[in-house]
Amino acid sequence: MPELVDGGGIPMPPHPHRGVYFLANDGFLDYATAFLNSFRRFNPDLPLCLIPFADDIGELRKLQSSHGFSILDDRKVLDACDAVGRAIRGTPRGHFRKLAMWEGEFDEFAYFDSDTVVLHSADFVFDLLADFGFLTAHGDDPMTRQFVWNDSIETIGRLTEEQISFAGATGFIASRKECLSLAEVAERLPDVLELQPHMCPGLNDQPMLNYLMVTSGHRFASLYGLANAGVPGLALEWWGGDPIDTVEDGQVAGRHQNPPLFIHWSGSLKQTAAPIVNRSLWEAYGPAAAPGPSSTTAELEGPGAMSTCSFEDGTTQGWSCRVGSARVTISDTYAHSSAHSLLCSSRTEPWEGPRFALPAPPTPGQTYSLRLWARLAAGEAPTDLKLSVERHTSGSIFYDTVVPDTLVTEERWVELGGAYTLTHEATRLVVYAESVHGTPSFHIDDFTLTIADPPADSSGHDSPYGLMSVADGELIRTVLLKAAALGNGGPLRVLEWGSGRSTLAFPQLLADAGVPCRWTSLEHHRGYFDGELLPQLAARPGASVRYVDDGTATVNEPGTDGGRIDVVCWNRGPLHPQFGPSHHADRVADLDDYVAYPAQVSSGPGEYDVVLVDGRKRRRCLLTARGLLGDRTVVLLHDAGRRYYHCALETYPAGRFIGDDLWIGAMDEDVLSELLRRL
C-alpha cells in the first residue's frame, strides 16, 4: 500500500484498524443470532469478531460466512482471561473473556453484549475515542452505582467521588488497544481482590472493569453522561424492560432526541428462547429472521432511519451526476461488497462527480451521518477525493466539506465517512463526491445515511434569536435588557463571538425597547456571513462590515434608533472540529486574530457590558473575555453543557449555569446575584 502523506509531504500515521467484538457460545445461540442479524443491518461493513464465551461454538461457526465475523481463538489469551475469572469468582467465568478485546486484532474497538439488538451505526463511537480511552453506554447515573460499588467504598479513600459515581455498565465498552492489557490486569489483580468486599456481590466483570477504567489514567465517560452534558444526537443504550410502543420494519418508530444504539434485555428479562418483553423486535431479528442487510435502497422515513445504497439491483438507486459531461453506471469490475458498485466516468472537471439528494425538508440542527467506500478505476493514478454537501438556500448555493482530501487508489477501497450538522436554514441538501485535482474515473459502493434530530433543548429554529432553545433565547434577551437598566445610561456595549441570527435579532429587540446599543460581532467564516447575514445587514442603517483578510469595509449611514452593528469578518472557511479525527485540520486552524481581536483593540477592562460567546474556539474566547471584565460586565456562554469548556469557566470569580444550556459569569458575585435576582 502506498505511504499516506499530507499536503506538505509529511508521512501520516495509518488509519487505525477499527472493529467490534461480541461474546457468545452455542448455549446463547438464539440471542447471538438476533445480535448478528441486527448488527449487520445497520453496520454492513464494520469488522466484527467473536470472543468465545466458552469453547462450544460449533453452531456459531456456521454463521461466520453469512454474517461476516472472525473468531478470537488465541488459546493463550483465553486461558489468561479464565485465570482472572478463577481468581475473582473461584472458577473460570466466560464473562471475563471480554478482557481479550485489548489483546485482539483491532486498534480501536467497541464491545456489545450479545443479549442485544443493535439499531444504529456504531461509527460515531470511534470519533469519540479521539477524546476518551474508555466509553460505556450507561453510567454517570446514581441508579447504576449499586451494580458496581457497595456504600463502603466511600469510607476507605481509595477512589474519588468522580471515579465512584461513574459506575459504567460494561454490556457495552469502547476503547483503544493501548489503554489496557492482560499483563496490566494481572499486575493489578491484588488491588482488585483487596477491594472486592466493597464491590457489588454477585456480578462478574463489571466492578473489576470499572476499577481498572477509572484508575487507568485515561479519560473515561459514558454515552449517557455525554448526552446529559449536551453532546447532541448521540445514540444510547435502551433498556429492554421498557416496552416500546411501535416497531416498524425492525426499527423503533418515531423521532427521538437520543435514538437507540442498541436494546439490551439482560438479567431476568431474558428467557431461554426469547426475551419476555419487546417481542416484536425479537421477531424482526431472531433466529427466524433473514440475516444481513438489504441489498437495495431502504426508504428513509425520518430521523433515526438508515438509507443504504449497494447497487445490487442493477439501478443507480437515486444517484446521478453533477451538471457536466460525467455519467454514472453500474459496474461489476469492482465491488466493496457483493458484486456491483457505481462507476463515475467521462469526467472533464474535478467537481463533476456522483451526487445523491438528501431527504427534504432539511431542519437546522439535524445531523446527517454519511458514509461510502471509494476506489479508483483500473489504471488511474492515486489522487485525493472528498465528500461534500451542496446546500441550497434563498436562491444561493453553498458548499460544505464533510470529508476532506483523502488519498484513494485503484488498489483498495477507502472509506469516506463523517457527520454533517446543518447549522443554517436550507431548502435542499445534496451530498456528492469529487476529486481535488484531475478527473479520474472512480467507483463508490455501500453508501449509508442516517439522520439524527437536534436535542429538544437546542432545536435552534424554535427561537427567533438563533440556534438555541426558546428559554435560552429569552434569558439572553432579559440579560441584555437588565444590563442596560443597570448601566450608566449610555448605549449598551455588546461583544459577540460567532455571528448569526442573534446578530440581527437582539439589536432589533433592543431598538424596539428604546435601548441604544453598540453591537460588535466577530465571524470566522466569510462564506457563511456573506450568504446568510450580509444581505440583511446591507439594508440596515448603522451597520458596518470589515473584512480583515482583504482590508475592505462598508459603512451604512447611522439610523435614528441609536443602534449600531459592527461586524469584523475573517475568511477561515467552515470549521467542524466536532466531527472527529477526520477534521483534525479544522481543530488546529489558525483563529488567533479572531480570538484576540477584542483584547488588541480594547482600551481596557470594562469596555463591554455584555459578552456573548457562541462561535468557534470558545474556551480561548472565554479566557480573552476574562481579561475584558469590568466591574459590571457579564459574559454569556451558549452550549455550556459541553464539559471541555468548563476549564475556562473556572477562571471567572463568579459564574452560574442557567436555563437549558447557558452559563453566565462576572467579576463580582454580588453583581451577578443582583442581575439574577432581577431575572
Side-chain angles (χ1 to χ4, degrees):
M1 184 179 73
E3 182 179 45
L4 300 181
V5 297
D6 69 7
I10 301 173
M12 299 175 64
H15 193 285
H17 186 29
R18 296 170 168 176
V20 168
Y21 294 102
F22 70 108
L23 187 69
N25 68 320
D26 288 350
F28 211 57
L29 183 63
D30 285 352
Y31 280 89
T33 301
F35 164 79
L36 287 166
N37 286 340
S38 64
F39 181 85
R40 277 300 176 220
R41 174 172 178 179
F42 294 95
N43 298 271
D45 304 304
L46 194 58
L48 182 63
C49 180
L50 166 68
I51 301 174
F53 183 86
D55 294 341
D56 57 325
I57 58 170
E59 294 301 314
L60 273 170
R61 284 186 185 274
K62 296 177 181 178
L63 302 178
Q64 191 172 357
S65 60
S66 61
H67 292 78
F69 61 88
S70 59
I71 299 175
L72 196 161
D73 54 3
D74 187 319
R75 193 71 249 174
K76 183 177 179 181
V77 169
L78 297 178
D79 287 346
C81 296
D82 291 345
V84 175
R86 185 180 296 108
I88 293 178
R89 294 303 303 270
T91 183
R93 300 295 296 264
H95 308 80
F96 290 91
R97 286 190 171 186
K98 68 175 65 170
L99 291 168
M101 59 183 142
W102 282 279
E103 306 290 337
E105 60 184 292
F106 304 129
D107 300 318
E108 296 179 351
F109 54 84
Y111 162 84
F112 288 86
D113 271 357
S114 52
D115 51 355
T116 63
V117 292
V118 178
L119 301 178
H120 197 281
S121 167
D123 287 347
F124 74 96
V125 173
F126 298 105
D127 284 343
L128 295 174
L129 287 177
D131 295 317
F132 297 98
F134 298 97
L135 287 167
T136 61
H138 210 78
D140 302 292
D141 181 354
M143 293 298 293
T144 65
R145 186 177 132 171
Q146 62 183 310
F147 301 115
V148 178
W149 302 111
N150 296 333
D151 290 341
S152 60
I153 189 65
E154 295 183 341
T155 66
I156 62 173
R158 292 282 294 274
L159 299 177
T160 67
E161 178 55 35
E162 180 188 14
Q163 290 171 325
I164 296 171
S165 61
F166 172 61
T170 56
F172 170 91
I173 300 174
S175 185
R176 303 189 302 269
K177 191 169 185 175
E178 74 268 15
C179 292
L180 191 63
S181 69
L182 281 173
E184 292 175 70
V185 175
E187 182 181 341
R188 307 198 63 197
L189 198 52
D191 295 335
V192 174
L193 295 174
E194 184 181 348
L195 288 177
Q196 201 166 2
H198 309 287
M199 294 177 172
C200 175
L203 292 183
N204 290 294
D205 59 281
Q206 186 160 287
M208 177 199 70
L209 275 173
N210 267 269
Y211 175 72
L212 294 173
M213 288 188 291
V214 302
T215 59
S216 67
H218 296 281
R219 294 185 68 199
F220 53 88
S222 69
L223 299 180
Y224 173 89
L226 292 174
N228 281 346
V231 177
L234 293 181
L236 302 181
E237 173 184 5
W238 285 22
W239 184 51
D242 291 329
I244 296 169
D245 291 335
T246 306
V247 174
E248 297 176 357
D249 187 30
Q251 299 179 70
V252 177
R255 299 189 175 192
H256 302 277
Q257 176 179 335
N258 295 106
L261 172 60
F262 62 98
I263 307 294
H264 195 177
W265 279 286
S266 76
S268 61
L269 295 172
K270 298 197 296 287
Q271 291 181 328
T272 301
I276 61 177
V277 291
N278 293 319
R279 286 293 188 95
S280 55
L281 275 173
W282 175 263
E283 291 167 359
Y285 297 108
S294 169
S295 62
T296 59
T297 302
E299 186 69 22
L300 195 71
E301 297 291 346
M306 182 175 73
S307 179
T308 302
C309 299
S310 59
F311 311 112
E312 293 307 306
D313 63 354
T315 74
T316 63
Q317 298 180 353
W319 286 80
S320 61
C321 273
R322 304 184 76 202
V323 176
S325 62
R327 63 192 185 98
V328 292
T329 55
I330 301 302
S331 170
D332 59 5
T333 304
Y334 293 130
H336 179 256
S337 66
S338 299
H340 298 93
S341 64
L342 186 77
L343 172 64
C344 183
S345 59
S346 304
R347 304 171 66 234
T348 59
E349 297 289 345
W351 49 263
E352 292 179 355
R355 67 177 181 177
F356 183 80
L358 303 185
T363 301
Q366 282 184 334
T367 296
Y368 299 79
S369 296
L370 305 163
R371 183 185 188 212
L372 58 78
W373 294 82
R375 181 173 182 168
L376 297 187
E380 299 283 8
T383 192
D384 287 332
L385 301 183
K386 67 178 184 176
L387 199 63
S388 303
V389 166
E390 183 180 288
R391 173 167 50 91
H392 297 247
T393 178
S394 304
S396 300
I397 301 177
F398 303 91
Y399 304 97
D400 302 323
T401 299
V402 179
V403 181
D405 307 359
T406 303
L407 184 66
V408 180
T409 72
E410 65 166 314
E411 298 171 354
R412 64 184 183 91
W413 289 94
V414 175
E415 179 185 4
L416 303 180
Y420 173 74
T421 300
L422 180 62
T423 56
H424 318 305
E425 298 288 346
T427 56
R428 184 170 183 251
L429 298 175
V430 179
V431 61
Y432 64 94
E434 61 182 329
S435 53
V436 180
H437 304 289
T439 58
S441 299
F442 62 92
H443 299 258
I444 66 169
D445 201 359
D446 291 334
F447 169 77
T448 59
L449 161 68
T450 56
I451 304 176
D453 262 347
D457 62 358
S458 62
S459 53
H461 66 294
D462 289 339
S463 171
Y465 307 125
L467 289 173
M468 62 187 71
S469 69
V470 172
D472 284 351
E474 289 302 312
L475 274 174
I476 295 175
R477 169 185 178 275
T478 306
V479 167
L480 293 170
L481 293 174
K482 296 303 181 183
L486 292 172
N488 56 16
L492 182 70
R493 302 161 301 173
V494 181
L495 169 66
E496 175 190 49
W497 270 288
S499 303
R501 195 182 304 165
S502 56
T503 312
L504 303 169
F506 285 126
Q508 186 61 54
L509 79 85
L510 290 169
D512 294 343
V515 177
C517 79
R518 299 289 184 270
W519 191 281
T520 302
S521 184
L522 311 179
E523 175 54 36
H524 76 278
H525 182 8
R526 179 170 179 172
Y528 159 69
F529 173 79
D530 286 353
E532 301 290 333
L533 299 180
L534 184 60
Q536 298 176 71
L537 279 174
R540 193 187 193 285
S544 75
V545 178
R546 182 163 74 87
Y547 295 111
V548 175
D549 295 280
D550 61 16
T552 60
T554 58
V555 181
N556 294 347
E557 292 293 326
T560 59
D561 59 11
R564 193 172 82 199
I565 302 175
D566 299 313
V567 178
V568 182
C569 186
W570 287 261
N571 190 17
R572 296 295 184 266
L575 302 176
H576 302 293
Q578 70 272 24
F579 289 171
S582 61
H583 287 257
H584 176 73
D586 290 4
R587 186 170 297 279
V588 299
D590 182 6
L591 293 183
D592 290 353
D593 290 345
Y594 163 85
V595 171
Y597 178 86
Q600 293 172 347
V601 302
S602 173
S603 59
E607 183 162 341
Y608 301 101
D609 303 301
V610 179
V611 178
L612 177 59
V613 181
D614 195 18
R616 290 287 175 248
K617 305 294 183 183
R618 295 189 205 187
R619 283 181 295 193
R620 294 176 58 197
C621 292
L622 285 164
L623 295 175
T624 299
R626 170 68 179 84
L628 301 174
L629 289 181
D631 292 340
R632 306 190 73 81
T633 306
V634 294
V635 176
L636 288 161
L637 169 68
H638 183 227
D639 294 324
R642 298 173 183 173
R643 291 182 179 178
Y644 42 88
Y645 298 153
H646 292 181
C647 58
L649 306 185
E650 295 170 2
T651 67
Y652 282 72
R656 310 272 182 83
F657 289 92
I658 59 175
D660 290 328
D661 211 8
L662 291 177
W663 175 89
I664 186 169
M667 180 66 78
D668 186 87
E669 182 65 42
D670 291 337
V671 171
L672 193 57
S673 296
E674 179 183 5
L675 179 62
L676 292 177
R677 280 196 301 273
R678 290 173 176 262
L679 288 179

